[in-house]
Amino acid sequence: MASIRRLASDAPGFEAELASLLAFESAQDEGVDQAVQVILEAVHTRGDEALLEFTARFDRWQPKAARDLEVDPKLARAALDRIPAAEREALELAAQRIRTYHERQRQDSWRMEESDGTVLGQQVTPLDRAGLYVPGGKAAYPSSVLMNAVAAKVAGVGELVMVTPTPGGELNDYVLAAAAIAGVDRIFRVGGAQAVGALAFGTATVPAVDKIVGPGNAYVAAAKRRVFGRVGIDMVAGPSEILVIADASADPEWVAMDLFSQAEHDEIAQAILLSPEASLLDRVAHVMERELPTLPRHAIAGASLAARGALIQVRDLEEACEIANRIAPEHLELAVADPDALLPKIRHAGAIFMGHHASEAIGDYCAGPNHVLPTSRTARFSSPLGVYDFQKRSSVIRISPEAAARLGKTAATLARAEGLEAHARSAERRFLKPR
Amino acid sequence: MASIRRLASDAPGFEAELASLLAFESAQDEGVDQAVQVILEAVHTRGDEALLEFTARFDRWQPKAARDLEVDPKLARAALDRIPAAEREALELAAQRIRTYHERQRQDSWRMEESDGTVLGQQVTPLDRAGLYVPGGKAAYPSSVLMNAVAAKVAGVGELVMVTPTPGGELNDYVLAAAAIAGVDRIFRVGGAQAVGALAFGTATVPAVDKIVGPGNAYVAAAKRRVFGRVGIDMVAGPSEILVIADASADPEWVAMDLFSQAEHDEIAQAILLSPEASLLDRVAHVMERELPTLPRHAIAGASLAARGALIQVRDLEEACEIANRIAPEHLELAVADPDALLPKIRHAGAIFMGHHASEAIGDYCAGPNHVLPTSRTARFSSPLGVYDFQKRSSVIRISPEAAARLGKTAATLARAEGLEAHARSAERRFLKPR
């Protein structure tokens, strides 16, 4: 194992080292973007015909007709019946916990009434139709289907449309089973930028949606960026990250496994440990060296840790929290004796895991909160995926005749200050020329 | 006046006419985008020096040093003292009503505890620092300062930084006064893509922010798109729109003024009236022809109405609501005797004005709800600007030792189904090797 780097916050040059460790520019590949533009344009103008061509070319199977792109819902139920009982129960338990948590996120309409009868409020409604992109092939993650689909269904989305590529024509049973559990309404076996285009523009077979969510490769991400505005999109995710803050009470084996669980995702994933305890850092490093070779994905995890991992000795837990706020990590574990003392100091993090037993792995699958979280410091201004991403608000404004006069004068004054005479007249006509 | 077009929903070809009326592609100008890229790069690499250069070139005044770009807060207070009393009182009343409404939008942290001591929740925190872009010169809108800044301050944003160009070096008193009322923390007299770059990257003088909001021209919009991801942005707004649904109880003069108040914004603004009453449509058309020439901005309003306006006869109010949902307008007025009967049928609109006295003009200035609303059909998936745009959430997860065993098994099962062994071990280590 190329050893994971050790840093100390009081060493000269630490600031620069930390900055270079965190630096990650998600290079937008011009070639990818141009290819995506061509694909989107083809889907926009030629619809299903383009979907059939791209599916044959990229997914290496030939649908006979566009209707073959849709998966019969019975197949999803059949997959659910076919998978092993342990996996089925695990998916069902996870879905139930995700549902319970997300139900707390549902926002309700509200109104406030004033004494003269003026009523102001906000009407909250779900999206009519949402699209869920699910990667296919080897990186098929049923947990991701649950996280996205349950949030959408709890919000009350009218129709949830899932798209997923089936390389070589092969459907993934776990993905289908998760879709059945989550109540996905329609499933299409199409992927890549062409699937994003189909959801954004609609074709004769695939209905147009109002928002597209879900992870995907560089082509999918570029396509989502391009259709944004016509439809809503969720965030475009960067590499996954974990930051662990540990004190002397932490178990080095547990911490090491948590760093591994992030590093095994991807060579560019980032796992960082902050602790004031040099001996804990030593023991974590020791466990990692010993156990890394035993991981099936040791090559990926090793590359990630060597390139972007770090064990950092800090002055104290206070400083650890300051550094955490600068990093604004996707996942933050507070592996300390008293996590409640640190929580108020944490301003920016996607998810905060409190205490020794809260492993990120449990959060990834079944604690209940969403595992789609802001990456690359975007937790400074954005939030986990949630029910609120599938609801939207309309302001509601009812003005009494008295308020139309009183507020109308104010509106007319401001409108004229801004040079907008018709605005002023629109307000004034209601009280200068009452009906 | 080039007459506003009349359509009828039961006429042959209506669907195509409506589609072409609504069609609006916000052409992204390649030339603008390339110029913006150069400006952003210059601000990123050369900081204040680039800001001084671009300010001299585009705003035609020469700051002596970078510190001249900052406006002393005393100047904003002085502007507030200098403007006429009526305008000051109007701004203060508007700010107070906007504040009261937005306080209802604030979201609180919450927790749910399970019987074994497992705790799940969401911690809600404000942004550390937000940037507010305010257009300068003639199109200076103090109301827009209030709408953006009050929402940010109610959210609890730590520092609110306003940027505004001062063409020829001239500061706008109303804009400064609104900033003073809303409690803007720092003001910089810099505009265009260079101001967006300064807020995104930070310079020696202008602090980097976490999110940039506020309207601007094509350069500002392109710059916001480009820095999105590094910082958050609000929506990129399209042309403003109003849709009025009116029945026989509506006053044609009031309706005509409301259509004008939208049309006077911009040649590409859109004003549409839907009514089952042919005679109402006739009378509205009559008022419009009579009064258009009397508007100071009649050239703009006339161009907007001719290009994108319409008076549409519909079969009934039910159909009017269906068409409204397809249009998903920024502003929707229900100028009918019983707006409560229609409200539940409205799924997509930025703001809904209930009944005859609720003019859009009052909503634009002082009803209380935000006037920054989703345009171009984006109300299908997005919401008015609000306090929630300046808050973000972190999931909070505490797992009891018992839950670590129970849920750990579930997580390990799903992790192995996804081929992620380190995730499985991270969950299992907590109960197979307890401390």
Side-chain angles (χ1 to χ4, degrees), chain A residues 40-82:
Chain A
L40 291 177
E41 182 60 23
V43 174
H44 196 178
T45 53
R46 296 194 294 120
D48 283 341
E49 190 186 297
L51 289 187
L52 295 178
E53 284 173 21
F54 292 127
T55 298
R57 193 194 312 171
F58 298 126
D59 294 347
R60 305 175 315 282
W61 69 283
Q62 181 65 66
K64 287 200 194 70
R67 67 173 175 279
D68 294 344
L69 293 174
E70 183 154 13
V71 176
D72 187 329
K74 281 184 205 140
L75 290 185
R77 297 298 314 177
L80 181 58
D81 292 339
R82 191 161 55 229

mmCIF file of all heavy atoms in Angstrom, chain A residues 40-82:
data_model
loop_
_atom_site.group_PDB
_atom_site.id
_atom_site.type_symbol
_atom_site.label_atom_id
_atom_site.label_comp_id
_atom_site.label_asym_id
_atom_site.label_seq_id
_atom_site.Cartn_x
_atom_site.Cartn_y
_atom_site.Cartn_z
ATOM 1 N N LEU A 40 -28.539 14.716 -27.789
ATOM 2 C CA LEU A 40 -29.766 15.389 -27.346
ATOM 3 C C LEU A 40 -30.553 15.923 -28.534
ATOM 4 O O LEU A 40 -31.782 15.805 -28.594
ATOM 5 C CB LEU A 40 -29.430 16.541 -26.381
ATOM 6 C CG LEU A 40 -28.894 16.144 -25.006
ATOM 7 C CD1 LEU A 40 -28.541 17.388 -24.197
ATOM 8 C CD2 LEU A 40 -29.905 15.284 -24.246
ATOM 9 N N GLU A 41 -29.844 16.511 -29.460
ATOM 10 C CA GLU A 41 -30.489 17.067 -30.648
ATOM 11 C C GLU A 41 -31.201 15.959 -31.438
ATOM 12 O O GLU A 41 -32.334 16.138 -31.912
ATOM 13 C CB GLU A 41 -29.422 17.763 -31.516
ATOM 14 C CG GLU A 41 -29.942 18.443 -32.762
ATOM 15 C CD GLU A 41 -30.949 19.545 -32.479
ATOM 16 O OE1 GLU A 41 -30.929 20.091 -31.350
ATOM 17 O OE2 GLU A 41 -31.780 19.831 -33.368
ATOM 18 N N ALA A 42 -30.542 14.814 -31.565
ATOM 19 C CA ALA A 42 -31.144 13.687 -32.294
ATOM 20 C C ALA A 42 -32.412 13.203 -31.593
ATOM 21 O O ALA A 42 -33.437 12.941 -32.241
ATOM 22 C CB ALA A 42 -30.133 12.543 -32.414
ATOM 23 N N VAL A 43 -32.359 13.096 -30.273
ATOM 24 C CA VAL A 43 -33.540 12.628 -29.535
ATOM 25 C C VAL A 43 -34.666 13.661 -29.640
ATOM 26 O O VAL A 43 -35.841 13.316 -29.791
ATOM 27 C CB VAL A 43 -33.191 12.338 -28.057
ATOM 28 C CG1 VAL A 43 -34.439 11.999 -27.249
ATOM 29 C CG2 VAL A 43 -32.170 11.210 -27.959
ATOM 30 N N HIS A 44 -34.280 14.940 -29.587
ATOM 31 C CA HIS A 44 -35.282 16.006 -29.673
ATOM 32 C C HIS A 44 -36.006 15.969 -31.014
ATOM 33 O O HIS A 44 -37.223 16.116 -31.089
ATOM 34 C CB HIS A 44 -34.594 17.363 -29.476
ATOM 35 C CG HIS A 44 -35.537 18.480 -29.165
ATOM 36 N ND1 HIS A 44 -35.120 19.744 -28.913
ATOM 37 C CD2 HIS A 44 -36.888 18.527 -29.069
ATOM 38 C CE1 HIS A 44 -36.161 20.527 -28.672
ATOM 39 N NE2 HIS A 44 -37.245 19.805 -28.767
ATOM 40 N N THR A 45 -35.255 15.763 -32.083
ATOM 41 C CA THR A 45 -35.860 15.857 -33.417
ATOM 42 C C THR A 45 -36.401 14.515 -33.920
ATOM 43 O O THR A 45 -37.404 14.486 -34.609
ATOM 44 C CB THR A 45 -34.854 16.397 -34.454
ATOM 45 O OG1 THR A 45 -33.672 15.598 -34.399
ATOM 46 C CG2 THR A 45 -34.487 17.841 -34.145
ATOM 47 N N ARG A 46 -35.731 13.405 -33.550
ATOM 48 C CA ARG A 46 -36.149 12.130 -34.134
ATOM 49 C C ARG A 46 -36.759 11.161 -33.133
ATOM 50 O O ARG A 46 -37.160 10.050 -33.477
ATOM 51 C CB ARG A 46 -34.972 11.488 -34.865
ATOM 52 C CG ARG A 46 -34.508 12.340 -36.082
ATOM 53 C CD ARG A 46 -33.577 11.551 -36.992
ATOM 54 N NE ARG A 46 -32.328 11.234 -36.337
ATOM 55 C CZ ARG A 46 -31.868 10.005 -36.126
ATOM 56 N NH1 ARG A 46 -32.550 8.965 -36.547
ATOM 57 N NH2 ARG A 46 -30.722 9.826 -35.504
ATOM 58 N N GLY A 47 -36.795 11.553 -31.852
ATOM 59 C CA GLY A 47 -37.544 10.782 -30.851
ATOM 60 C C GLY A 47 -37.137 9.325 -30.753
ATOM 61 O O GLY A 47 -35.946 9.003 -30.678
ATOM 62 N N ASP A 48 -38.136 8.463 -30.753
ATOM 63 C CA ASP A 48 -37.910 7.033 -30.524
ATOM 64 C C ASP A 48 -36.874 6.424 -31.469
ATOM 65 O O ASP A 48 -36.087 5.562 -31.069
ATOM 66 C CB ASP A 48 -39.236 6.267 -30.705
ATOM 67 C CG ASP A 48 -40.158 6.438 -29.493
ATOM 68 O OD1 ASP A 48 -39.658 6.820 -28.411
ATOM 69 O OD2 ASP A 48 -41.367 6.185 -29.655
ATOM 70 N N GLU A 49 -36.927 6.862 -32.729
ATOM 71 C CA GLU A 49 -35.976 6.325 -33.716
ATOM 72 C C GLU A 49 -34.540 6.517 -33.222
ATOM 73 O O GLU A 49 -33.706 5.599 -33.293
ATOM 74 C CB GLU A 49 -36.210 7.088 -35.027
ATOM 75 C CG GLU A 49 -35.506 6.553 -36.224
ATOM 76 C CD GLU A 49 -35.717 7.520 -37.410
ATOM 77 O OE1 GLU A 49 -36.889 7.695 -37.811
ATOM 78 O OE2 GLU A 49 -34.721 8.102 -37.879
ATOM 79 N N ALA A 50 -34.247 7.695 -32.691
ATOM 80 C CA ALA A 50 -32.907 7.965 -32.164
ATOM 81 C C ALA A 50 -32.616 7.098 -30.942
ATOM 82 O O ALA A 50 -31.496 6.582 -30.776
ATOM 83 C CB ALA A 50 -32.759 9.445 -31.825
ATOM 84 N N LEU A 51 -33.629 6.921 -30.098
ATOM 85 C CA LEU A 51 -33.417 6.067 -28.914
ATOM 86 C C LEU A 51 -33.029 4.651 -29.312
ATOM 87 O O LEU A 51 -32.152 4.037 -28.712
ATOM 88 C CB LEU A 51 -34.685 6.011 -28.051
ATOM 89 C CG LEU A 51 -35.086 7.264 -27.276
ATOM 90 C CD1 LEU A 51 -36.264 6.942 -26.350
ATOM 91 C CD2 LEU A 51 -33.921 7.816 -26.473
ATOM 92 N N LEU A 52 -33.704 4.138 -30.338
ATOM 93 C CA LEU A 52 -33.408 2.767 -30.784
ATOM 94 C C LEU A 52 -31.977 2.677 -31.319
ATOM 95 O O LEU A 52 -31.248 1.740 -31.015
ATOM 96 C CB LEU A 52 -34.413 2.319 -31.854
ATOM 97 C CG LEU A 52 -35.866 2.183 -31.371
ATOM 98 C CD1 LEU A 52 -36.787 1.787 -32.526
ATOM 99 C CD2 LEU A 52 -35.968 1.145 -30.245
ATOM 100 N N GLU A 53 -31.588 3.664 -32.099
ATOM 101 C CA GLU A 53 -30.227 3.652 -32.661
ATOM 102 C C GLU A 53 -29.165 3.720 -31.571
ATOM 103 O O GLU A 53 -28.204 2.962 -31.567
ATOM 104 C CB GLU A 53 -30.031 4.863 -33.579
ATOM 105 C CG GLU A 53 -30.717 4.726 -34.923
ATOM 106 C CD GLU A 53 -30.617 6.039 -35.711
ATOM 107 O OE1 GLU A 53 -29.721 6.856 -35.401
ATOM 108 O OE2 GLU A 53 -31.450 6.219 -36.601
ATOM 109 N N PHE A 54 -29.333 4.671 -30.647
ATOM 110 C CA PHE A 54 -28.307 4.837 -29.612
ATOM 111 C C PHE A 54 -28.243 3.624 -28.683
ATOM 112 O O PHE A 54 -27.184 3.255 -28.197
ATOM 113 C CB PHE A 54 -28.545 6.116 -28.803
ATOM 114 C CG PHE A 54 -28.325 7.382 -29.588
ATOM 115 C CD1 PHE A 54 -29.306 8.363 -29.654
ATOM 116 C CD2 PHE A 54 -27.115 7.596 -30.258
ATOM 117 C CE1 PHE A 54 -29.099 9.533 -30.376
ATOM 118 C CE2 PHE A 54 -26.906 8.769 -30.982
ATOM 119 C CZ PHE A 54 -27.897 9.734 -31.042
ATOM 120 N N THR A 55 -29.412 3.027 -28.440
ATOM 121 C CA THR A 55 -29.425 1.853 -27.575
ATOM 122 C C THR A 55 -28.659 0.701 -28.237
ATOM 123 O O THR A 55 -27.864 0.016 -27.588
ATOM 124 C CB THR A 55 -30.875 1.447 -27.252
ATOM 125 O OG1 THR A 55 -31.489 2.526 -26.549
ATOM 126 C CG2 THR A 55 -30.928 0.196 -26.387
ATOM 127 N N ALA A 56 -28.890 0.520 -29.521
ATOM 128 C CA ALA A 56 -28.149 -0.530 -30.230
ATOM 129 C C ALA A 56 -26.650 -0.241 -30.202
ATOM 130 O O ALA A 56 -25.821 -1.128 -29.975
ATOM 131 C CB ALA A 56 -28.649 -0.636 -31.666
ATOM 132 N N ARG A 57 -26.294 1.020 -30.415
ATOM 133 C CA ARG A 57 -24.881 1.362 -30.506
ATOM 134 C C ARG A 57 -24.178 1.312 -29.149
ATOM 135 O O ARG A 57 -23.122 0.714 -29.012
ATOM 136 C CB ARG A 57 -24.727 2.770 -31.113
ATOM 137 C CG ARG A 57 -23.289 3.036 -31.521
ATOM 138 C CD ARG A 57 -22.964 4.492 -31.820
ATOM 139 N NE ARG A 57 -23.930 5.118 -32.700
ATOM 140 C CZ ARG A 57 -23.941 6.441 -32.945
ATOM 141 N NH1 ARG A 57 -23.009 7.219 -32.396
ATOM 142 N NH2 ARG A 57 -24.850 6.972 -33.729
ATOM 143 N N PHE A 58 -24.788 1.920 -28.124
ATOM 144 C CA PHE A 58 -24.082 2.050 -26.842
ATOM 145 C C PHE A 58 -24.343 0.885 -25.882
ATOM 146 O O PHE A 58 -23.491 0.549 -25.070
ATOM 147 C CB PHE A 58 -24.454 3.366 -26.155
ATOM 148 C CG PHE A 58 -24.056 4.589 -26.942
ATOM 149 C CD1 PHE A 58 -25.000 5.571 -27.251
ATOM 150 C CD2 PHE A 58 -22.742 4.765 -27.367
ATOM 151 C CE1 PHE A 58 -24.639 6.699 -27.974
ATOM 152 C CE2 PHE A 58 -22.368 5.903 -28.087
ATOM 153 C CZ PHE A 58 -23.326 6.862 -28.399
ATOM 154 N N ASP A 59 -25.543 0.317 -25.948
ATOM 155 C CA ASP A 59 -25.868 -0.736 -24.979
ATOM 156 C C ASP A 59 -25.775 -2.133 -25.601
ATOM 157 O O ASP A 59 -25.988 -3.127 -24.907
ATOM 158 C CB ASP A 59 -27.275 -0.515 -24.390
ATOM 159 C CG ASP A 59 -27.370 0.742 -23.547
ATOM 160 O OD1 ASP A 59 -26.303 1.305 -23.208
ATOM 161 O OD2 ASP A 59 -28.499 1.167 -23.230
ATOM 162 N N ARG A 60 -25.496 -2.180 -26.887
ATOM 163 C CA ARG A 60 -25.245 -3.450 -27.554
ATOM 164 C C ARG A 60 -26.406 -4.438 -27.454
ATOM 165 O O ARG A 60 -26.225 -5.619 -27.211
ATOM 166 C CB ARG A 60 -23.954 -4.089 -27.019
ATOM 167 C CG ARG A 60 -22.720 -3.165 -27.117
ATOM 168 C CD ARG A 60 -21.503 -3.787 -26.466
ATOM 169 N NE ARG A 60 -21.792 -4.388 -25.178
ATOM 170 C CZ ARG A 60 -21.945 -3.706 -24.034
ATOM 171 N NH1 ARG A 60 -21.851 -2.388 -24.019
ATOM 172 N NH2 ARG A 60 -22.206 -4.349 -22.910
ATOM 173 N N TRP A 61 -27.613 -3.930 -27.593
ATOM 174 C CA TRP A 61 -28.751 -4.822 -27.834
ATOM 175 C C TRP A 61 -29.722 -4.072 -28.721
ATOM 176 O O TRP A 61 -29.748 -2.851 -28.746
ATOM 177 C CB TRP A 61 -29.408 -5.308 -26.534
ATOM 178 C CG TRP A 61 -30.133 -4.271 -25.759
ATOM 179 C CD1 TRP A 61 -29.566 -3.317 -24.972
ATOM 180 C CD2 TRP A 61 -31.550 -4.052 -25.691
ATOM 181 N NE1 TRP A 61 -30.523 -2.518 -24.421
ATOM 182 C CE2 TRP A 61 -31.761 -2.945 -24.845
ATOM 183 C CE3 TRP A 61 -32.661 -4.687 -26.272
ATOM 184 C CZ2 TRP A 61 -33.035 -2.455 -24.556
ATOM 185 C CZ3 TRP A 61 -33.918 -4.201 -25.978
ATOM 186 C CH2 TRP A 61 -34.106 -3.102 -25.126
ATOM 187 N N GLN A 62 -30.498 -4.805 -29.485
ATOM 188 C CA GLN A 62 -31.324 -4.180 -30.507
ATOM 189 C C GLN A 62 -32.803 -4.351 -30.178
ATOM 190 O O GLN A 62 -33.374 -5.414 -30.409
ATOM 191 C CB GLN A 62 -31.007 -4.812 -31.875
ATOM 192 C CG GLN A 62 -31.807 -4.213 -33.013
ATOM 193 C CD GLN A 62 -31.463 -2.735 -33.243
ATOM 194 O OE1 GLN A 62 -30.353 -2.393 -33.641
ATOM 195 N NE2 GLN A 62 -32.418 -1.836 -32.984
ATOM 196 N N PRO A 63 -33.424 -3.314 -29.603
ATOM 197 C CA PRO A 63 -34.873 -3.402 -29.397
ATOM 198 C C PRO A 63 -35.552 -3.475 -30.770
ATOM 199 O O PRO A 63 -35.148 -2.778 -31.692
ATOM 200 C CB PRO A 63 -35.209 -2.085 -28.691
ATOM 201 C CG PRO A 63 -33.933 -1.307 -28.552
ATOM 202 C CD PRO A 63 -32.847 -2.010 -29.264
ATOM 203 N N LYS A 64 -36.579 -4.323 -30.892
ATOM 204 C CA LYS A 64 -37.255 -4.448 -32.199
ATOM 205 C C LYS A 64 -38.097 -3.216 -32.492
ATOM 206 O O LYS A 64 -38.169 -2.741 -33.606
ATOM 207 C CB LYS A 64 -38.165 -5.679 -32.203
ATOM 208 C CG LYS A 64 -37.379 -6.987 -32.260
ATOM 209 C CD LYS A 64 -38.277 -8.132 -32.757
ATOM 210 C CE LYS A 64 -37.610 -9.478 -32.499
ATOM 211 N NZ LYS A 64 -37.576 -9.788 -31.031
ATOM 212 N N ALA A 65 -38.724 -2.720 -31.454
ATOM 213 C CA ALA A 65 -39.569 -1.539 -31.626
ATOM 214 C C ALA A 65 -39.474 -0.706 -30.355
ATOM 215 O O ALA A 65 -38.998 -1.189 -29.321
ATOM 216 C CB ALA A 65 -41.024 -1.959 -31.871
ATOM 217 N N ALA A 66 -39.941 0.528 -30.468
ATOM 218 C CA ALA A 66 -39.817 1.428 -29.320
ATOM 219 C C ALA A 66 -40.521 0.871 -28.094
ATOM 220 O O ALA A 66 -40.081 1.075 -26.967
ATOM 221 C CB ALA A 66 -40.357 2.813 -29.679
ATOM 222 N N ARG A 67 -41.628 0.146 -28.311
ATOM 223 C CA ARG A 67 -42.350 -0.342 -27.128
ATOM 224 C C ARG A 67 -41.533 -1.374 -26.352
ATOM 225 O O ARG A 67 -41.784 -1.609 -25.176
ATOM 226 C CB ARG A 67 -43.731 -0.880 -27.511
ATOM 227 C CG ARG A 67 -43.711 -2.120 -28.344
ATOM 228 C CD ARG A 67 -45.111 -2.715 -28.564
ATOM 229 N NE ARG A 67 -45.001 -3.832 -29.473
ATOM 230 C CZ ARG A 67 -44.933 -3.716 -30.810
ATOM 231 N NH1 ARG A 67 -45.014 -2.521 -31.374
ATOM 232 N NH2 ARG A 67 -44.801 -4.788 -31.570
ATOM 233 N N ASP A 68 -40.520 -1.974 -27.005
ATOM 234 C CA ASP A 68 -39.636 -2.906 -26.281
ATOM 235 C C ASP A 68 -38.771 -2.192 -25.255
ATOM 236 O O ASP A 68 -38.125 -2.831 -24.411
ATOM 237 C CB ASP A 68 -38.710 -3.651 -27.253
ATOM 238 C CG ASP A 68 -39.486 -4.567 -28.179
ATOM 239 O OD1 ASP A 68 -40.658 -4.853 -27.871
ATOM 240 O OD2 ASP A 68 -38.914 -4.984 -29.202
ATOM 241 N N LEU A 69 -38.704 -0.864 -25.345
ATOM 242 C CA LEU A 69 -37.895 -0.111 -24.375
ATOM 243 C C LEU A 69 -38.587 -0.071 -23.020
ATOM 244 O O LEU A 69 -37.954 0.183 -22.003
ATOM 245 C CB LEU A 69 -37.651 1.318 -24.871
ATOM 246 C CG LEU A 69 -36.759 1.445 -26.115
ATOM 247 C CD1 LEU A 69 -36.718 2.893 -26.585
ATOM 248 C CD2 LEU A 69 -35.347 0.939 -25.820
ATOM 249 N N GLU A 70 -39.902 -0.265 -23.003
ATOM 250 C CA GLU A 70 -40.580 -0.213 -21.707
ATOM 251 C C GLU A 70 -40.572 -1.591 -21.053
ATOM 252 O O GLU A 70 -40.772 -2.612 -21.706
ATOM 253 C CB GLU A 70 -42.029 0.290 -21.859
ATOM 254 C CG GLU A 70 -42.708 0.407 -20.498
ATOM 255 C CD GLU A 70 -43.846 1.430 -20.447
ATOM 256 O OE1 GLU A 70 -44.295 1.891 -21.508
ATOM 257 O OE2 GLU A 70 -44.265 1.761 -19.322
ATOM 258 N N VAL A 71 -40.311 -1.576 -19.745
ATOM 259 C CA VAL A 71 -40.283 -2.821 -18.991
ATOM 260 C C VAL A 71 -41.655 -3.021 -18.354
ATOM 261 O O VAL A 71 -42.145 -2.144 -17.635
ATOM 262 C CB VAL A 71 -39.204 -2.759 -17.890
ATOM 263 C CG1 VAL A 71 -39.233 -4.028 -17.039
ATOM 264 C CG2 VAL A 71 -37.825 -2.556 -18.510
ATOM 265 N N ASP A 72 -42.233 -4.172 -18.595
ATOM 266 C CA ASP A 72 -43.527 -4.498 -17.993
ATOM 267 C C ASP A 72 -43.378 -4.487 -16.469
ATOM 268 O O ASP A 72 -42.481 -5.130 -15.925
ATOM 269 C CB ASP A 72 -43.937 -5.894 -18.491
ATOM 270 C CG ASP A 72 -45.355 -6.269 -18.060
ATOM 271 O OD1 ASP A 72 -45.784 -5.821 -16.975
ATOM 272 O OD2 ASP A 72 -46.010 -7.000 -18.810
ATOM 273 N N PRO A 73 -44.252 -3.772 -15.765
ATOM 274 C CA PRO A 73 -44.157 -3.743 -14.292
ATOM 275 C C PRO A 73 -44.180 -5.144 -13.665
ATOM 276 O O PRO A 73 -43.618 -5.340 -12.593
ATOM 277 C CB PRO A 73 -45.410 -2.952 -13.879
ATOM 278 C CG PRO A 73 -45.812 -2.168 -15.073
ATOM 279 C CD PRO A 73 -45.345 -2.939 -16.275
ATOM 280 N N LYS A 74 -44.778 -6.081 -14.362
ATOM 281 C CA LYS A 74 -44.785 -7.459 -13.837
ATOM 282 C C LYS A 74 -43.379 -8.019 -13.693
ATOM 283 O O LYS A 74 -43.101 -8.839 -12.825
ATOM 284 C CB LYS A 74 -45.591 -8.369 -14.772
ATOM 285 C CG LYS A 74 -47.092 -8.255 -14.602
ATOM 286 C CD LYS A 74 -47.798 -9.264 -15.499
ATOM 287 C CE LYS A 74 -49.208 -8.805 -15.830
ATOM 288 N NZ LYS A 74 -49.582 -9.064 -17.238
ATOM 289 N N LEU A 75 -42.472 -7.556 -14.581
ATOM 290 C CA LEU A 75 -41.091 -8.041 -14.497
ATOM 291 C C LEU A 75 -40.417 -7.552 -13.225
ATOM 292 O O LEU A 75 -39.567 -8.235 -12.652
ATOM 293 C CB LEU A 75 -40.291 -7.586 -15.720
ATOM 294 C CG LEU A 75 -40.645 -8.247 -17.054
ATOM 295 C CD1 LEU A 75 -39.680 -7.770 -18.137
ATOM 296 C CD2 LEU A 75 -40.562 -9.765 -16.914
ATOM 297 N N ALA A 76 -40.775 -6.361 -12.797
ATOM 298 C CA ALA A 76 -40.191 -5.839 -11.562
ATOM 299 C C ALA A 76 -40.701 -6.630 -10.360
ATOM 300 O O ALA A 76 -39.930 -7.005 -9.468
ATOM 301 C CB ALA A 76 -40.503 -4.349 -11.408
ATOM 302 N N ARG A 77 -42.021 -6.922 -10.358
ATOM 303 C CA ARG A 77 -42.572 -7.747 -9.278
ATOM 304 C C ARG A 77 -41.920 -9.132 -9.284
ATOM 305 O O ARG A 77 -41.603 -9.683 -8.235
ATOM 306 C CB ARG A 77 -44.099 -7.923 -9.432
ATOM 307 C CG ARG A 77 -44.950 -6.672 -9.358
ATOM 308 C CD ARG A 77 -44.887 -5.941 -8.039
ATOM 309 N NE ARG A 77 -45.010 -6.818 -6.871
ATOM 310 C CZ ARG A 77 -44.919 -6.386 -5.622
ATOM 311 N NH1 ARG A 77 -44.709 -5.099 -5.383
ATOM 312 N NH2 ARG A 77 -45.029 -7.218 -4.608
ATOM 313 N N ALA A 78 -41.705 -9.663 -10.479
ATOM 314 C CA ALA A 78 -41.097 -10.999 -10.580
ATOM 315 C C ALA A 78 -39.675 -10.982 -10.039
ATOM 316 O O ALA A 78 -39.234 -11.923 -9.359
ATOM 317 C CB ALA A 78 -41.106 -11.466 -12.035
ATOM 318 N N ALA A 79 -38.935 -9.903 -10.324
ATOM 319 C CA ALA A 79 -37.564 -9.802 -9.812
ATOM 320 C C ALA A 79 -37.581 -9.768 -8.288
ATOM 321 O O ALA A 79 -36.742 -10.395 -7.627
ATOM 322 C CB ALA A 79 -36.887 -8.550 -10.368
ATOM 323 N N LEU A 80 -38.556 -9.048 -7.742
ATOM 324 C CA LEU A 80 -38.665 -8.954 -6.280
ATOM 325 C C LEU A 80 -38.928 -10.334 -5.689
ATOM 326 O O LEU A 80 -38.383 -10.693 -4.642
ATOM 327 C CB LEU A 80 -39.793 -7.979 -5.918
ATOM 328 C CG LEU A 80 -40.040 -7.731 -4.428
ATOM 329 C CD1 LEU A 80 -38.789 -7.200 -3.737
ATOM 330 C CD2 LEU A 80 -41.202 -6.749 -4.237
ATOM 331 N N ASP A 81 -39.741 -11.132 -6.380
ATOM 332 C CA ASP A 81 -40.015 -12.487 -5.881
ATOM 333 C C ASP A 81 -38.823 -13.420 -6.051
ATOM 334 O O ASP A 81 -38.718 -14.426 -5.369
ATOM 335 C CB ASP A 81 -41.227 -13.074 -6.630
ATOM 336 C CG ASP A 81 -42.527 -12.355 -6.275
ATOM 337 O OD1 ASP A 81 -42.550 -11.714 -5.199
ATOM 338 O OD2 ASP A 81 -43.469 -12.403 -7.074
ATOM 339 N N ARG A 82 -37.937 -13.077 -6.987
ATOM 340 C CA ARG A 82 -36.851 -13.991 -7.339
ATOM 341 C C ARG A 82 -35.608 -13.798 -6.480
ATOM 342 O O ARG A 82 -34.848 -14.742 -6.268
ATOM 343 C CB ARG A 82 -36.518 -13.749 -8.819
ATOM 344 C CG ARG A 82 -35.603 -14.738 -9.473
ATOM 345 C CD ARG A 82 -35.739 -14.654 -10.991
ATOM 346 N NE ARG A 82 -35.509 -13.293 -11.468
ATOM 347 C CZ ARG A 82 -36.308 -12.637 -12.323
ATOM 348 N NH1 ARG A 82 -37.357 -13.213 -12.850
ATOM 349 N NH2 ARG A 82 -36.029 -11.398 -12.690
#
